[in-house]
Amino acid sequence: MSWYRNTVWFVKGLREYTRGGYESASKHFNPADVEVDVAGRSFLVTGANSGIGKATAKEIARRGGTVHLVCRNKERAEVAKEEIVTETGNQNIFLHIVDISNPKEIWKFAEKFQNEHKLNVLINNAGCMVNNRELTEDGLEKNFATNTLGTYIMTTALMPLLEKAADARVITVSSGGMLVQKLNIADLQSGHGPFDGTMVYAQNKRQQVVLTEQWAKAHRNIHFSVMHPGWADTPAVRSSMPDFYERMKNSLRTEAQGADTVLWLAVSAEATKLPSGLFFQDRQPVPTHLPLAYTHSPPEDEEKLMELLEEFSQKFKSVSPG
């Protein structure tokens, strides 16, 4: 059935995920939803030095929010911070250098952050698509370490801070590519069979959808959401999917268009009127499975994913410095 899923997803993408799809959907947006003042609220954005993360951080900064940029590369992050401060006039922009593929670094960062800051909204945007199987220094497959385990640890480590906050939210930037994948908990690190970076990424993005649904059930005081930004022209797409980029570059969304729903989920009052745990595209909840795609998983597999990630998480917490 994979050929069916891939074909249906691509056809859907051509219709909805491109710039034309955004322009069509945005005719129904209410601009007032995001014309809000968020001064006094604290936002943390991972992967914030480029692409959708930077576009989101900039728009939050324009609205007066305190923004914490969590980035891996110090030089690029400093350039992004300066750009955001200059363009928005907002001085409450803070920079934290953290490699989201390194669990020990995330734990160390989260412990320090909780002692020094408050947090209202966490935006899990950092991600990667490594097309050949690479291991981190901890022996973790890099896509899994960044997209799934990194997202899991960052969120769970900051959960106590979020639980204390007013109108707390967690938004995770996923991908419509997850629609072609059924949750696979038997091979989380893609060590069996041929390695296809695009499909590994899609599997990680399916895992993020499951994480969001599970967190929403367990933490009623926090509003969780996961979203697909559409096909946007970002540095990550250019470097990780050069063939796709060349074929689609004239139809791709801008970074700001890709970030629009992230911003809406982060700042609008309308977003939290909808149930926690949903998957969004262009400010609307959308299904997490294609028709007839057979990508549904039994509840025990979804619960097992959470157990396995918690085991990984605690293993690295026990050796974290500090």
Side-chain angles (χ1 to χ4, degrees):
M1 290 298 289
S2 61
W3 64 268
Y4 168 82
R5 291 198 292 265
N6 291 344
T7 301
V8 172
W9 170 76
F10 192 71
V11 171
K12 180 181 175 69
L14 289 173
R15 187 176 67 247
E16 299 178 17
Y17 300 165
T18 55
R19 186 166 59 244
Y22 174 84
E23 289 167 352
S24 176
S26 65
K27 292 174 185 174
H28 306 287
F29 293 173
N30 181 0
D33 285 358
V34 294
E35 290 172 0
V36 294
D37 182 350
V38 292
R41 286 177 64 74
S42 175
F43 300 77
L44 189 154
V45 186
T46 67
N49 65 280
S50 68
I52 288 167
K54 185 173 78 172
T56 301
K58 192 178 292 183
E59 290 305 317
I60 292 169
R62 286 191 210 282
R63 289 156 176 79
T66 296
V67 186
H68 296 273
L69 313 175
V70 173
C71 308
R72 184 183 59 187
N73 183 289
K74 189 172 189 289
E75 291 73 26
R76 289 202 296 264
E78 286 174 344
V79 171
K81 177 186 173 181
E82 184 178 345
E83 179 185 323
I84 292 168
V85 171
T86 301
E87 289 192 22
T88 68
N90 187 336
Q91 299 294 322
N92 293 318
I93 312 298
F94 300 91
L95 187 56
H96 310 272
I97 305 305
V98 185
D99 183 349
I100 301 297
S101 73
N102 186 321
K104 294 187 288 292
E105 271 192 35
I106 301 172
W107 276 118
K108 183 180 179 182
F109 159 74
E111 287 163 9
K112 186 172 187 289
F113 188 89
Q114 289 188 80
N115 291 329
E116 298 176 357
H117 304 282
K118 70 169 192 171
L119 183 62
N120 299 94
V121 181
L122 168 63
I123 299 170
N124 291 310
N125 167 72
C128 69
M129 184 192 294
V130 180
N131 288 311
N132 298 300
R133 193 171 189 273
E134 291 181 23
L135 299 183
T136 68
E137 63 183 37
D138 297 305
L140 299 167
E141 191 278 313
K142 195 160 189 178
N143 293 292
F144 167 76
T146 306
N147 302 326
T148 303
L149 185 60
T151 296
Y152 178 86
I153 295 177
M154 182 64 78
T155 306
T156 53
L158 293 175
M159 206 79 81
L161 204 54
L162 289 161
E163 290 277 13
K164 294 187 289 189
D167 188 16
R169 310 182 190 192
V170 175
I171 299 116
T172 299
V173 179
S174 181
S175 166
M178 68 91 195
L179 290 167
V180 305
Q181 286 284 308
K182 178 179 179 178
L183 180 66
N184 175 14
I185 57 169
D187 188 20
L188 289 180
Q189 300 204 63
S190 310
H192 307 308
F195 186 91
D196 182 333
T198 305
M199 288 300 105
V200 170
Y201 177 83
Q203 174 66 211
N204 296 161
K205 296 297 166 176
R206 168 63 69 187
Q207 291 161 357
Q208 290 178 341
V209 170
V210 173
L211 288 179
T212 299
E213 292 169 346
Q214 294 296 310
W215 283 327
K217 293 176 187 175
H219 302 274
R220 303 289 185 176
N221 296 333
I222 302 170
H223 190 272
F224 293 88
S225 54
V226 60
M227 59 78 67
H228 173 41
W231 294 342
D233 186 352
T234 65
V237 168
R238 294 184 185 203
S239 62
S240 300
M241 305 174 72
D243 294 342
F244 173 82
Y245 173 75
E246 281 302 317
R247 190 162 74 247
M248 299 298 298
K249 61 184 178 183
N250 295 324
S251 302
L252 297 177
R253 298 178 177 205
T254 66
E255 292 173 346
Q257 289 170 343
D260 176 81
T261 295
V262 189
L263 177 70
W264 183 82
L265 288 166
V267 306
S268 79
E270 294 304 305
T272 52
K273 292 177 183 177
L274 293 161
S276 182
L278 298 180
F279 180 61
F280 287 82
Q281 176 189 315
D282 291 332
R283 304 192 188 184
Q284 292 291 326
V286 292
T288 55
H289 300 276
L290 292 168
L292 306 177
Y294 301 102
T295 50
H296 292 269
S297 300
E300 53 267 30
D301 281 8
E302 297 178 355
E303 291 162 10
K304 184 64 175 177
L305 173 67
M306 304 304 281
E307 291 174 17
L308 292 169
L309 293 177
E310 182 62 16
E311 287 174 18
F312 273 112
S313 168
Q314 292 302 318
K315 172 184 170 186
F316 292 105
K317 184 180 182 181
S318 65
V319 295
S320 68

